[in-house]
Amino acid sequence: KNEVEQSPQNLTAQEGEFITINCSYSVGISALHWLQQHPGGGIVSLFMLSSGKKKHGRLIATINIQEKHSSLHITASHPRDSAVYICAVRSGGSEKLVFGKGMKLTVNP
Amino acid sequence: AAGVIQSPRHLIKEKRETATLKCYPIPRHDTVYWYQQGPGQDPQFLISFYEKMQSDKGSIPDRFSAQQFSDYHSELNMSSLELGDSALYFCASSPRGQGNYNEQFFGPGTRLTVL
């Protein structure tokens, strides 16, 4: 079982829809990252969370430490949101990030 | 704002050759991380450096070595390249100077193709 599980693995939505991407993890963590990777490879850090909720523009990220679960919400989705969204966690005293498999989002106009 | 710079962006090598990937962190970032992302795979942590010292080590093959220099840039040296080394290699940096963990900022990656 992977330490970080994401669901769904793929999602196709229509422009304007509200989208939720889920991430569950099985280890104690000190931080959770939501990352965005576009075709061609570059990774952009969207959020780093250790508790509660963060909002940036149309993106909202929440984390429930007790349930070991985080969600990334996209409001009023747009075709430019099409990308792979990756959840990654830092556990314990380690420096490294452990990545989920990512969720491929396609937003159609 | 300045971002993490990686060079080269693309590299094509033959089997058994060597390759050197470079990473220039965001100014005033003292910690560098290297990740490898194979085709269709999630990124895997290779190694990290803080203040020029190795701070953590992941699944880095013995054929690979890395170091961080006095200007905080880092180089990943890969020898005896194998076909399976073909991947996207990401570098990330963070300002860990206060001893706390801070957000990692990723570079654009170097795409290595081994023929």
Side-chain angles (χ1 to χ4, degrees), chain B:
Chain B
V4 177
I5 297 171
Q6 289 188 247
S7 69
R9 294 291 308 277
H10 301 272
L11 189 59
I12 299 175
K13 290 286 185 179
E14 300 276 343
K15 276 172 47 178
R16 292 180 288 278
E17 285 191 324
T18 60
T20 297
L21 279 53
K22 297 183 180 182
C23 170
Y24 297 87
I26 291 171
R28 290 182 293 281
H29 283 197
D30 51 17
T31 306
V32 169
Y33 308 82
W34 285 99
Y35 297 91
Q36 177 193 55
Q37 186 178 29
Q41 304 294 314
D42 47 297
Q44 296 292 321
F45 172 74
L46 293 178
I47 197 167
S48 62
F49 292 88
Y50 166 60
E51 283 290 344
K52 300 166 287 251
M53 299 289 288
Q54 179 182 307
S55 55
D56 201 355
K57 190 173 180 180
S59 50
I60 184 169
D62 291 340
R63 299 177 289 107
F64 294 7
S65 65
Q67 57 182 321
Q68 185 180 32
F69 295 85
S70 58
D71 63 351
Y72 296 108
H73 94 273
S74 179
E75 295 184 4
L76 177 65
N77 299 293
M78 311 159 71
S79 62
S80 302
L81 286 170
E82 301 173 357
L83 296 179
D85 296 328
S86 295
L88 193 55
Y89 290 83
F90 287 105
C91 168
S93 74
S94 72
R96 210 193 73 171
Q98 288 77 30
N100 299 314
Y101 176 70
N102 289 299
E103 186 170 0
Q104 296 183 26
F105 295 84
F106 286 81
T110 294
R111 186 170 295 281
L112 172 67
T113 302
V114 181
L115 302 175

Side-chain angles (χ1 to χ4, degrees), chain A:
Chain A
K1 186 179 188 299
N2 292 330
E3 291 181 28
V4 182
E5 298 275 357
Q6 289 189 239
S7 64
Q9 292 186 346
N10 292 282
L11 180 63
T12 299
Q14 289 300 123
E15 184 173 358
E17 286 187 10
F18 179 84
I19 292 163
T20 295
I21 305 167
N22 296 302
C23 175
S24 297
Y25 50 91
S26 57
V27 296
I29 68 167
S30 54
L32 181 144
H33 293 251
W34 280 104
L35 308 168
Q36 181 192 56
Q37 186 172 30
H38 279 281
I43 289 180
V44 175
S45 179
L46 299 175
F47 295 102
M48 185 182 75
L49 294 165
S50 54
S51 64
K53 175 180 174 179
K54 286 189 176 180
K55 184 177 189 293
H56 185 258
R58 295 181 294 107
L59 302 178
I60 303 167
T62 63
I63 187 168
N64 185 317
I65 297 295
Q66 286 73 32
E67 295 185 4
K68 291 187 167 61
H69 181 269
S70 176
S71 293
L72 176 67
H73 306 285
I74 305 175
T75 61
S77 60
H78 190 276
R80 64 173 175 267
D81 297 326
S82 298
V84 175
Y85 291 84
I86 303 170
C87 171
V89 302
R90 177 181 180 260
S91 62
S94 174
E95 293 287 327
K96 69 179 184 181
L97 291 178
V98 177
F99 293 78
K101 297 294 184 188
M103 191 219 76
K104 184 177 180 181
L105 172 66
T106 303
V107 181
N108 293 319

